[in-house]
């Protein structure tokens, strides 16, 4: 089950204003991870741009044209979200990179790790937002559906709620969206009561967590909520929106997750996907703004994804650090109280 990385040094050419946290140096961290993987004999694939049709599966034509209209210049799309002359092309490349990952994972040959910027999960059907131009994981999920996956799960562990991904699939029963996020925090969405609409009711799962949560809390939330729901949903493909901004060193939020905590989360999710989705897993980068923490967490992610597939039943990693993980328990219980009507009685 060989892991494939999808990466390009072109992503450093998406420029943001000085002092912006989503900065070109993040691409240098991606490059270092890809270079090390290649040096060890691993495969790194080049991305391709998403086509207009592939983008159009999740974005309105007006939105695509608005981003295309920024080609060749710098523009401010909202107070946080900027383009530079090549950003339109690079945003298409970031979205398309996820499709190279989906092709690999859907073939059953192993997981894919897609290293991209700009990130995507705040981009809604009709607007750029929160550093995001196109919604990379949403484009990937729609592409996987078009390729024949009946059910796609998107798990979002970025510290911020993925409002865009939720919005794009909120009435779609074939795409499960599960998010753990700091709450309250940007962008303000992701309350536990947001469960989707129409046929998609019960296919949006929000686990808002109080600021200050650490490894124990996240392990608890995964064990009580995320793993059981992923198991019940039994996706054909699982896409992980991995933001490393819940890290204790991250400047944008107040969570306390360590690099080992991220390693444990990835291991739990990998084992779950091995058990429920035949190992068909695509991991796509979102946030993560402390460069050393980003690099260390990506190294841990590669380590987890490169390990042989697990064949034993999932036993979520138990918290290593002493302490009750009260924030995690409370978050899990609140989410389960809202979600139980939509799932089998074992949840
Ligand atoms: Zn984030």
């Amino acid at each position: 089950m060989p892991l494939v990385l999808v990466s390009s040094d072109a992503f450093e050419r998406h420029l943001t204003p000085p002092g912006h946290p989503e900065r070109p140096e993040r691409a240098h961290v991606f490059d270092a991870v890809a270079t090390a993987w290649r040096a060890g004999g691993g495969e790194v694939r080049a991305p391709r741009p998403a086509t207009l049709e592939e983008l159009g599966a999740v974005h309105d034509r007006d939105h695509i044209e608005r981003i295309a209209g920024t080609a060749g210049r710098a523009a401010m799309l909202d107070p946080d979200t900027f383009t530079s002359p090549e950003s339109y092309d690079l945003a298409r490349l970031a979205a398309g990179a996820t499709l190279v990952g989906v092709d690999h994972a859907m073939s059953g040959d192993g997981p894919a790790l897609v290293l991209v910027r700009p990130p995507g999960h705040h981009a809604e059907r009709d607007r750029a937002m929160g550093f995001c131009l196109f919604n990379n994981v949403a484009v990937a999920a729609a592409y996987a559906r078009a390729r024949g996956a009946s059910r796609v799960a998107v798990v979002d562990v970025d510290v911020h709620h993925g409002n865009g991904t939720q919005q794009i699939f909120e009435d779609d029963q074939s795409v499960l969206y599960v998010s753990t996020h700091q709450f309250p925090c940007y962008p303000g969405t992701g309350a536990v009561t947001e469960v989707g609409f129409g046929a998609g009711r019960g296919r949006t799962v929000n686990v808002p967590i109080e600021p200050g949560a650490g490894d124990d809390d996240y392990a608890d939330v995964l064990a009580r909520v995320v793993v059981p729901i992923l198991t019940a949903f039994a996706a054909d493909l699982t896409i992980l929106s991995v933001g490393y901004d819940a890290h204790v060193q991250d400047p944008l939020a107040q969570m306390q997750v360590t690099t080992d905590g991220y390693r444990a989360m990835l291991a739990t999710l990998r084992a779950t996907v091995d058990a429920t989705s035949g190992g068909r897993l695509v991991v796509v980068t979102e946030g993560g703004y402390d460069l050393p923490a980003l690099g260390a967490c990506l190294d841990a992610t590669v380590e987890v994804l490169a390990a042989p597939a697990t064949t034993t039943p999932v036993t979520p990693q138990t918290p290593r650090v002493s302490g009750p993980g009260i924030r995690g328990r409370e978050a899990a219980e609140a989410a389960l109280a809202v979600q139980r009507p939509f799932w089998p009685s074992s949840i």
Side-chain angles (χ1 to χ4, degrees), residues 134-291:
F134 297 129
N135 195 312
N136 304 322
V137 297
V139 174
Y143 176 78
R145 289 278 294 119
R147 267 202 54 157
S150 302
R151 289 179 308 284
V152 177
V154 179
V155 180
D156 186 333
V157 299
D158 189 280
V159 80
H160 303 102
H161 179 242
N163 57 289
T165 315
Q166 173 174 305
Q167 181 226 25
I168 288 165
F169 296 114
E170 63 193 351
D171 59 356
D172 187 342
Q173 63 186 336
S174 67
V175 179
L176 171 71
Y177 178 68
V178 182
S179 175
T180 61
H181 46 273
Q182 179 173 314
F183 194 85
C185 192
Y186 181 89
T189 51
V192 72
T193 49
E194 295 170 24
V195 298
F197 294 105
R201 257 179 83 73
R203 293 296 173 265
T204 294
V205 179
N206 281 301
V207 191
I209 310 173
E210 275 185 32
D215 296 352
D216 288 1
D217 297 288
Y218 275 82
D220 214 19
V221 164
L222 260 58
R224 289 172 189 246
V225 183
V226 181
V227 171
I229 284 179
L230 283 179
T231 302
F233 186 70
D236 297 308
L237 175 80
T238 299
I239 302 168
L240 178 60
S241 257
V242 70
Y244 298 103
D245 43 10
H247 196 279
V248 62
Q249 287 169 277
D250 197 273
L252 261 59
Q254 288 77 46
M255 292 311 204
Q256 306 287 318
V257 178
T258 67
T259 303
D260 280 344
Y262 267 106
R263 188 195 317 274
M265 272 198 263
L266 265 295
T268 297
L269 291 167
R270 166 95 198 270
T272 306
V273 174
D274 284 346
T276 65
S277 300
R280 289 182 292 276
L281 174 65
V282 180
V283 178
V284 181
T285 55
E286 299 284 357
Y289 304 102
D290 180 85
L291 299 183

